Amino acid sequence: MKVTVFGATGGIGRHLVEQGLRLGYEMTAVVRRDYDVPGATVVRATLEDAAGLEGAVAGRDAVLTALGRRKGGPATVQADGARAAVAAMRATGVRRIVSVDAAGRVADRGDSLLMRAVAKPLLQRVLKEGFDDLAEAERVLRASGLDWTLISPPRLTDGGHRPYRTVVDRNVHGGRTLSRADVADAMLKSVRDDTHIHRRVNIAY
């Protein structure tokens, strides 16, 4: 399998590349500046570099996006990344995309009453800017006509692999944390799971 990773130098992105290589995939890492990613093909391109992104995506089986806002960076990186990825994929005929979302921005029947009524509204106010960006990225993907999947973890940690729960189109009841390594694991599994197309897949311990 040939996979391109946007946000390849971030916490989740590094795990995506490393785990993909261990699975025997041909991994392409999109980076904004010179960066060594052992074992992967490295493409240096910004989100505004349409030609560079098309070159990074052409001929691949899937795109995985793990972009995240960096300190001092743009508050629209998720939506901008979704638009850039969709444009490159449409131009090159690639259809499968899996993108990181956040379970915290959606309150649904998977949450307890306390979580829906108190904790989530508070979290959504505190993290409004980031959650608005993720919501716009979701709108871009839903309107893209591509085979998209959203992977929605709760609070991220730097732990290793552990068994985790997966629920489709609703939050994981009682789910509080998930390691970045296991987010990457879930994304790589979803990319080959056709039942996850056009779904929000929530994951948590």
Side-chain angles (χ1 to χ4, degrees), residues 100-137:
V100 176
D101 193 46
R105 75 177 184 88
V106 178
D108 61 27
R109 67 189 187 279
D111 296 312
S112 67
L113 178 59
L114 180 64
M115 183 65 69
R116 293 197 306 272
V118 180
K120 284 286 182 74
L122 177 61
L123 184 65
Q124 289 159 0
R125 286 197 295 272
V126 172
L127 301 178
K128 182 179 187 304
E129 190 173 58
F131 284 171
D132 285 350
D133 186 26
L134 285 168
E136 178 60 22

Side-chain angles (χ1 to χ4, degrees), residues 47-70:
L47 296 180
E48 295 76 31
D49 182 1
L53 295 181
E54 289 173 19
V57 167
R60 275 54 171 193
D61 299 300
V63 171
L64 305 179
T65 68
L67 293 165
R69 185 180 181 185
R70 296 178 184 272

Side-chain angles (χ1 to χ4, degrees), residues 82-175:
R83 293 187 190 98
V86 166
M89 293 171 70
R90 283 176 168 169
T92 56
V94 178
R95 294 199 52 81
R96 190 72 175 102
I97 180 168
V98 178
S99 183
V100 176
D101 193 46
R105 75 177 184 88
V106 178
D108 61 27
R109 67 189 187 279
D111 296 312
S112 67
L113 178 59
L114 180 64
M115 183 65 69
R116 293 197 306 272
V118 180
K120 284 286 182 74
L122 177 61
L123 184 65
Q124 289 159 0
R125 286 197 295 272
V126 172
L127 301 178
K128 182 179 187 304
E129 190 173 58
F131 284 171
D132 285 350
D133 186 26
L134 285 168
E136 178 60 22
E138 178 180 0
R139 285 191 285 271
V140 170
L141 291 178
R142 286 183 178 275
S144 69
L146 301 176
D147 297 334
W148 56 269
T149 298
L150 294 175
I151 298 292
S152 299
R155 183 172 62 85
L156 298 175
T157 73
D158 289 322
H161 291 293
R162 290 170 47 194
Y164 57 85
R165 295 174 288 161
T166 300
V167 181
V168 176
D169 289 336
R170 63 181 174 85
N171 288 321
V172 179
H173 186 73

Side-chain angles (χ1 to χ4, degrees), residues 2-32:
K2 299 178 182 178
V3 178
T4 293
V5 178
F6 283 43
T9 61
I12 295 172
R14 290 194 298 271
H15 285 291
L16 283 170
V17 173
E18 292 168 3
Q19 292 178 31
L21 289 170
R22 286 200 296 270
L23 290 170
Y25 294 172
E26 293 183 25
M27 304 299 292
T28 298
V30 178
V31 301
R32 291 179 298 175

